[in-house]
C-alpha cells in the first residue's frame, strides 16, 4: 500500500527547508542551514524529507518529519565525495565512493556494500529491500537477507508493483534498456525504451520517463512518456520483435576511401548481434568518426518519431539530402533510412566540418543491402524465436535455456545461480563441485580436495596424499561418481594417481611403475571410468609427445596407443560413448584428430585448433569456436567433414575463453 495522502509538502534550497500545508499554503516549519554548513542534497516524500548537510570534512544525513520538521535521526559520513541519498521503501540508501549503505527507520545500518562498480542501487518493496551491486567480475541482484541472482549492472531499481524494474548501464548514444524482474524468482525479461529520456517513476503498471526538448528558437519543453508492459512480440523482446538480422552493419558504412573501420561493438546489453551496431572509422592522420545504429524500429512511423525526439533532445536542425530524413548540429548527425536510425559523431574539427557530407555518404551505403553472412541462429527449424543472454562474469552470450551450467576461472553457475565459494571443476551431472588446494602440503600434512553438494551446499574435505606428495589437475569421471587427480612430489613430474569415490568420500592413491616415462596429467581412459590414461614422455626433449598409455585402476598398463598425438588438457578427450577419442593431430597445431577407440584407426582430421575445442557435441561432432567475422566468434558443432551446425554461443574476437567451461543441453 502507498503512503497516506500528504498533509504537507517539503520545499527548499541551499539555505534550508520548509514544510508547507497542502490545504492553505501556509508554512508549517522552517529548517535553516547552520553557519559554516551547506545543504548539498535534498529529497522528500509524503511523510519524511532527507537533507545532506556538509559541514567541513563531515556530511550529516538528516531525516526530518515532513509535518513537523523534527529531526528523526542524523548519521555522519565523510564529506568527500559528496554522498547521494534516496528513499528505499522505509529505509534510506546512501551511495558514496562506490559503496552503498542502507539505514533503517532509526538510522541504524541495515546493510553495506563496498567495491561497487560502476553503480550500486537499492529499492524497497513492501518490507523487503533489493540491492544491485557489482563485486569483482559479477553483477548481482540480491534480496537483502535473502536469495541473490546474477544480473547485469543496474544504475537504478524501481518498485513497479508486482515487478521490479532495473535500468541498465548504456553506451553513449544508445537507447535505454530495462529489465522487468519478478522479485520472488529473479526471472526477468529485457526491453528497450524506444524513446530517449530519464526514468522518473513507475506506478499503476506503467513506467514513466521525461525528455527535455530544445526546439531551435523555442522555450525548452519537457515530454513525458508512459510505457506499459505488454506481451513480448515474436522475436527478441529487447528489439521490440525486430529480427536482429535486419540491423545493418555499422562497420559496412565507410564515409569514404580514406576511412578504415578500426573498432566495433556487436552487443546490445546481453544480446549478441549478428553484425556490429557501433563502429569507429579512422583516417591515416588519426582523426576518427563514429557511427552507431541507434534503433531499427518495427515501422517507418516509429523510426520517424524516434528521430524527431532525438532531434528535439539534442537541439538538432533538419538537413535535407541525407537518407530519408536527417537532423544535425556541430559534431552530430542523426539520419533515418527506412526503419533504421543511425547516429554519426566526431570530436575532430577537420571531420566535423565535413560531417554532413560524410553522413550523407554513409546513408547512401545503407540503402544497399549489407552483403554480410548472418550468424546461424541456435534452434532448429520451427523451434521458435531466439533470445540470447550474456553469461554473468563473461563476455559470452548463449541462447536462453541451452546452457544449464558453466564454470569460469574460479566460479560455477548452475541454473542461472552462482554456486558459493571458489570452484575448480563442476561434475558432468551438475551435482558437485571440486576445489583443490592452492599450496603444496607442508611436512607432516596431507593434501586435500573440497567437494561441495550443489543442491544443499554441504561440503566434504577429503584428504588425498601426504607430503611430500601433492595433487594436480582434477578430472571428473563421465558419470560424475569419481574424481581423478595426478599425484606428484614436485608439482611437475608425476608418480601416480588419486581417485576420490563420491559414495564414500574417500581417496585412494595408486602409484605407477617407471613414472619418469610419462608426462602431463592423468585423464579417464574410458567412458565407464575403469581405466586412466596419460601421455608418454618423448625419447628426446625436442620431440613432440605422441604416444598414450592406459592403466587399470590398480596401476597396471593395459594398452598403449602409438603416434596418436597429444592429449587434451582441459577437455574430455573421449566421445560420449567412449568409442572414439580426439587428440592434437601429430605435427599439426591447427587440426584436431579423431580416432577409433577399439583399433586406434584415424577417422578424421578436423580443421579446428585444439585450443578452440570446447567438448564433444555428440558421437559424430565436436563443439568448438570459429571466427564468424572480424569482430565475433561463435561456438558451433563441427562434423568429421568440417561442416558446421547452428551457433550455440558467441563471444567477441580476442576475448579469452581458455578458463571457461560450458555445459550444454545437447540434442
Amino acid at each position: 500500500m502507498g503512503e497516506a495522502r500528504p498533509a504537507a509538502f517539503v520545499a527548499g534550497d541551499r539555505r534550508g527547508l520548509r514544510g508547507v500545508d497542502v490545504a492553505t499554503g501556509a508554512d508549517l516549519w522552517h529548517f535553516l542551514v547552520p553557519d559554516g554548513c551547506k545543504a548539498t542534497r535534498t529529497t522528500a516524500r509524503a511523510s519524511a524529507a532527507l537533507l545532506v548537510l556538509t559541514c567541513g570534512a563531515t556530511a550529516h544525513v538528516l531525516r526530518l518529519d515532513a509535518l513537523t520538521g523534527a529531526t528523526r535521526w542524523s548519521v555522519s559520513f565523510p564529506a568527500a565525495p559528496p554522498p547521494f541519498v534516496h528513499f528505499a521503501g522505509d529505509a534510506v540508501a546512501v551511495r558514496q565512493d562506490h559503496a552503498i549503505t542502507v539505514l533503517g527507520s532509526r538510522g541504524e545500518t541495515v546493510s553495506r556494500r563496498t567495491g561497487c562498480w560502476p553503480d550500486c542501487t537499492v529499492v524497497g518493496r513492501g518490507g523487503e529491500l533489493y540491492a544491485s551491486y557489482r563485486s569483482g567480475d559479477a553483477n548481482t541482484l540480491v534480496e537483502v537477507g535473502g536469495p541473490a541472482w546474477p544480473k547485469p549492472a543496474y544504475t537504478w531499481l524501481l518498485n513497479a508493483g508486482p515487478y521490479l524494474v532495473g535500468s541498465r548501464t548504456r553506451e553513449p548514444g544508445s537507447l535505454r534498456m530495462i529489465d522487468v524482474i519478478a522479485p520472488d524468482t529473479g526471472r526477468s525479461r529485457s526491453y528497450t525504451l524506444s524513446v530517449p529520456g530519464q526514468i522518473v517513476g513507475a506506478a499503476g503498471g506503467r513506467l514513466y520517463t521525461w525528455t527535455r526538448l530544445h526546439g531551435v528558437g523555442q522555450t525548452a519543453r519537457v515530454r513525458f512518456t508512459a510505457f506499459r508492459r505488454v506481451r513480448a512480440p515474436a522475436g527478441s523482446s529487447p528489439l521490440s520483435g525486430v529480427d536482429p538480422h535486419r540491423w545493418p552493419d555499422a562497420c559496412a558504412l565507410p564515409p569514404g576511401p580514406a576511412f578504415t573501420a578500426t573498432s566495433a561493438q556487436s552487443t546490445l546489453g546481453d544480446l549478441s548481434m549478428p553484425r556490429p551496431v557501433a563502429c569507429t572509422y579512422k583516417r591515416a592522420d588519426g582523426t576518427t568518426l563514429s557511427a552507431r545504429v541507434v534503433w531499427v524500429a518495427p515501422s517507418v512511423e516509429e523510426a520517424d518519431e524516434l528521430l524527431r525526439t532525438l532531434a528535439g533532445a539534442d537541439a538538432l536542425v533538419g538537413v535535407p539530402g541525407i537518407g530519408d530524413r536527417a537532423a544535425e548540429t556541430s559534431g552530430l548527425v542523426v539520419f533515418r533510412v527506412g526503419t533504421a536510425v543511425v547516429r554519426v559523431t566526431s570530436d575532430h574539427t577537420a571531420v566535423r566540418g565535413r560531417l554532413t557530407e560524410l553522413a550523407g555518404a554513409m546513408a547512401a551505403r545503407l540503402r544497399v543491402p549489407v552483403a554480410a553472412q548472418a550468424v546461424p541462429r541456435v534452434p532448429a527449424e520451427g523451434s521458435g524465436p531466439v533470445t540470447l543472454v550474456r553469461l554473468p562474469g563473461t563476455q559470452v552470450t548463449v541462447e536462453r535455456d541451452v546452457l544449464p551450467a558453466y564454470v569460469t576461472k574460479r566460479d560455477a553457475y548452475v541454473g542461472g545461480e552462482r554456486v558459493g565459494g571458489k570452484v575448480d571443476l563442476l561434475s558432468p551431472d551438475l551435482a558437485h563441485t571440486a576445489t583443490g588446494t592452492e599450496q603444496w602440503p607442508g611436512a607432516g600434512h596431507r593434501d586435500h580436495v573440497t567437494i561441495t553438494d550443489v543442491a544443499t551446499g554441504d561440503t566434504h574435505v577429503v584428504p588425498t596424499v601426504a607430503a611430500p606428495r601433492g595433487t594436480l589437475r582434477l578430472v571428473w569421471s563421465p558419470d560424475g561418481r569419481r574424481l581423478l587427480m595426478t599425484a606428484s612430489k614436485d608439482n611437475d613430474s608425476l608418480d601416480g594417481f588419486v581417485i576420490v569415490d563420491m559414495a564414500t568420500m574417500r581417496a585412494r592413491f595408486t602409484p605407477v611403475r617407471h613414472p619418469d616415462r610419462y608426462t602431463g596429467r592423468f585423464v579417464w581412459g574410458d567412458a565407464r571410468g575403469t581405466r586412466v590414461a596419460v601421455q608418454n614422455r618423448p625419447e628426446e626433449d625436442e620431440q613432440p609427445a605422441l604416444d598414450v598409455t592406459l592403466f587399470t585402476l590398480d596401476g597396471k598398463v593395459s594398452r598403449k596407443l602409438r603416434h596418436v598425438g597429444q592429449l587434451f588438457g582441459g577437455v574430455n578427450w573421449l566421445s560420449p560413448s567412449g568409442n572414439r577419442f580426439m587428440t592434437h593431430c601429430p605435427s599439426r597445431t591447427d587440426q584436431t584428430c579423431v580416432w577409433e577407440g577399439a583399433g586406434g584407426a584415424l577417422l578424421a582430421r578436423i580443421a579446428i585448433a585444439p585450443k578452440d575445442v570446447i567438448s564433444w557435441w555428440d558421437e559424430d561432432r565436436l563443439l568448438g569456436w570459429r571466427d564468424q567475422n572480424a569482430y565475433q566468434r561463435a561456438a558451433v558443432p563441427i562434423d568429421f567433414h568440417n561442416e558446421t551446425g547452428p551457433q550455440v554461443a558467441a563471444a567477441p574476437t580476442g576475448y579469452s575463453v581458455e578458463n571457461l567451461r560450458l555445459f550444454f543441453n545437447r540434442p
Side-chain angles (χ1 to χ4, degrees):
M1 296 184 59
E3 292 187 83
R5 183 179 178 87
F9 70 88
V10 178
D13 52 29
R14 291 184 177 275
R15 295 171 297 179
L17 298 178
R18 59 192 177 98
V20 180
D21 189 302
V22 297
T24 65
D27 287 354
L28 297 176
W29 53 266
H30 289 83
F31 181 98
L32 298 178
V33 174
D35 292 339
C37 300
K38 58 181 180 180
T40 54
R41 303 276 185 183
T42 60
T43 186
R45 55 192 290 179
S47 61
L50 295 177
L51 172 66
V52 179
L53 282 180
T54 300
C55 308
T58 302
H60 305 277
V61 178
L62 284 71
R63 179 166 182 159
L64 309 179
D65 186 285
L67 190 61
T68 65
T71 301
R72 295 304 182 192
W73 49 256
S74 175
V75 179
S76 298
F77 292 84
F84 177 83
V85 298
H86 66 87
F87 286 102
D90 292 331
V92 172
V94 182
R95 192 170 64 206
Q96 183 183 48
D97 195 22
H98 303 304
I100 194 162
T101 304
V102 181
L103 305 175
S105 58
R106 300 181 302 278
E108 76 280 9
T109 298
V110 175
S111 176
R112 178 173 172 79
R113 297 284 181 182
T114 60
C116 300
W117 184 265
D119 286 292
C120 293
T121 184
V122 176
V123 67
R125 180 178 179 270
E128 301 166 337
L129 290 172
Y130 295 85
S132 171
Y133 63 92
R134 183 178 179 90
S135 179
D137 292 333
N139 296 305
T140 302
L141 174 67
V142 59
E143 179 184 342
V144 177
W149 305 281
K151 291 292 179 184
Y154 297 127
T155 58
W156 204 258
L157 284 172
L158 292 171
N159 177 15
Y163 300 99
L164 300 176
V165 174
S167 176
R168 296 192 182 199
T169 57
R170 63 190 182 99
E171 298 289 336
S174 64
L175 296 178
R176 187 176 302 279
M177 185 178 290
I178 64 168
D179 286 353
V180 177
I181 308 162
D184 54 340
T185 64
R187 295 182 180 273
S188 62
R189 181 177 285 273
S190 301
Y191 299 88
T192 299
L193 303 184
S194 57
V195 175
Q198 298 294 321
I199 298 175
V200 293
R206 283 169 168 75
L207 182 72
Y208 297 90
T209 68
W210 69 274
T211 309
R212 187 186 298 273
L213 304 177
H214 306 270
V216 178
Q218 301 177 0
T219 303
R221 297 168 296 143
V222 173
R223 170 179 174 171
F224 285 92
T225 305
F227 295 87
R228 64 187 179 91
R229 186 172 182 264
V230 297
R231 179 181 293 274
S236 173
S237 61
L239 303 182
S240 295
V242 173
D243 187 335
H245 294 97
R246 286 183 54 195
W247 281 59
D249 187 342
C251 288
L253 309 174
F259 287 88
T260 303
T262 58
S263 62
Q265 176 191 336
S266 299
T267 56
L268 286 175
D270 287 345
L271 190 65
S272 179
M273 300 294 284
R275 306 183 184 100
V277 297
C279 193
T280 299
Y281 294 90
K282 189 175 183 179
R283 295 195 302 194
D285 61 2
T287 56
T288 61
L289 173 151
S290 297
R292 174 177 290 277
V293 181
V294 179
W295 191 240
V296 175
S299 67
V300 171
E301 292 75 18
E302 292 179 59
D304 236 6
E305 178 63 22
L306 172 59
L307 190 142
R308 284 194 295 268
T309 304
L310 291 172
D314 290 319
L316 307 184
V317 179
V319 56
I322 302 178
D324 297 325
R325 184 185 292 270
E328 60 91 22
T329 189
S330 178
L332 170 64
V333 176
V334 181
F335 64 81
R336 176 184 66 80
V337 173
T339 58
V341 177
V342 178
R343 174 187 174 98
V344 181
T345 60
S346 179
D347 294 330
H348 295 94
T349 303
V351 178
R352 289 163 69 120
R354 299 179 53 214
L355 197 61
T356 302
E357 170 196 345
L358 298 172
M362 301 175 80
R365 290 182 180 275
L366 189 59
R367 294 178 182 274
V368 181
V370 180
Q373 181 182 2
V375 177
R377 305 183 77 182
V378 178
E381 290 186 24
S383 60
V386 177
T387 301
L388 293 175
V389 294
R390 176 169 293 179
L391 303 180
T394 78
Q395 294 183 37
V396 174
T397 53
V398 299
E399 195 267 337
R400 192 186 302 275
D401 298 328
V402 79
L403 188 102
Y406 63 101
V407 180
T408 63
K409 190 171 184 179
R410 292 307 298 268
D411 295 314
Y413 295 82
V414 178
E417 297 187 4
R418 187 179 183 183
V419 178
K422 294 182 178 180
V423 173
D424 286 334
L425 206 61
L426 179 65
S427 63
D429 58 2
L430 312 184
H432 297 92
T433 66
T435 306
T437 54
E438 296 182 353
Q439 295 182 341
W440 212 250
H445 292 81
R446 297 181 69 86
D447 206 352
H448 64 270
V449 61
T450 302
I451 309 295
T452 302
D453 188 302
V454 171
T456 65
D458 294 338
T459 61
H460 298 269
V461 178
V462 182
T464 54
V465 291
R469 289 190 177 95
T471 53
L472 306 165
R473 173 77 192 290
L474 287 65
V475 186
W476 286 103
S477 62
D479 60 8
R481 296 179 181 179
R482 282 172 291 183
L483 184 67
L484 172 67
M485 291 166 282
T486 300
S488 173
K489 291 183 179 180
D490 57 9
N491 201 21
D492 184 22
S493 62
L494 58 87
D495 67 343
F497 54 89
V498 175
I499 294 178
V500 177
D501 186 275
M502 290 296 102
T504 62
M505 289 296 170
R506 296 178 65 87
R508 187 184 71 176
F509 166 66
T510 302
V512 296
R513 296 183 62 191
H514 309 296
D516 56 330
R517 295 179 181 177
Y518 310 106
T519 185
R521 306 291 180 256
F522 282 95
V523 296
W524 291 100
D526 59 35
R528 301 181 304 278
T530 62
R531 294 189 294 183
V532 298
V534 72
Q535 195 84 52
N536 282 63
R537 187 181 298 277
E539 295 181 3
E540 301 291 338
D541 291 341
E542 293 78 18
Q543 293 179 344
L546 300 177
D547 297 345
V548 174
T549 296
L550 282 76
F551 295 85
T552 60
L553 299 190
D554 59 2
K556 296 179 180 178
V557 174
S558 68
R559 185 184 179 191
K560 289 187 177 181
L561 303 172
R562 301 287 187 182
H563 303 288
V564 294
Q566 183 180 340
L567 288 169
F568 274 75
V571 176
N572 189 357
W573 69 316
L574 297 168
S575 67
S577 70
N579 294 329
R580 292 168 175 170
F581 62 89
M582 60 179 171
T583 65
H584 297 227
C585 281
S587 305
R588 293 295 298 264
T589 60
D590 60 344
Q591 292 183 350
T592 297
C593 282
V594 176
W595 308 81
E596 191 269 326
L602 179 63
L603 295 177
R605 289 179 178 268
I606 302 177
I608 181 172
K611 64 181 179 62
D612 293 328
V613 174
I614 299 172
S615 64
W616 284 86
W617 184 248
D618 55 30
E619 278 298 296
D620 301 309
R621 292 180 292 178
L622 306 182
L623 181 67
W625 293 101
R626 281 273 179 92
D627 290 336
Q628 295 293 307
N629 50 47
Y631 318 103
Q632 180 172 280
R633 310 179 77 201
V636 293
I638 308 167
D639 67 18
F640 295 172
H641 302 287
N642 288 301
E643 296 292 329
T644 59
Q647 168 189 322
V648 297
T653 299
Y655 175 71
S656 175
V657 294
E658 180 181 358
N659 294 310
L660 181 67
R661 186 173 183 195
L662 307 175
F663 292 74
F664 286 98
N665 287 322
R666 292 175 171 80

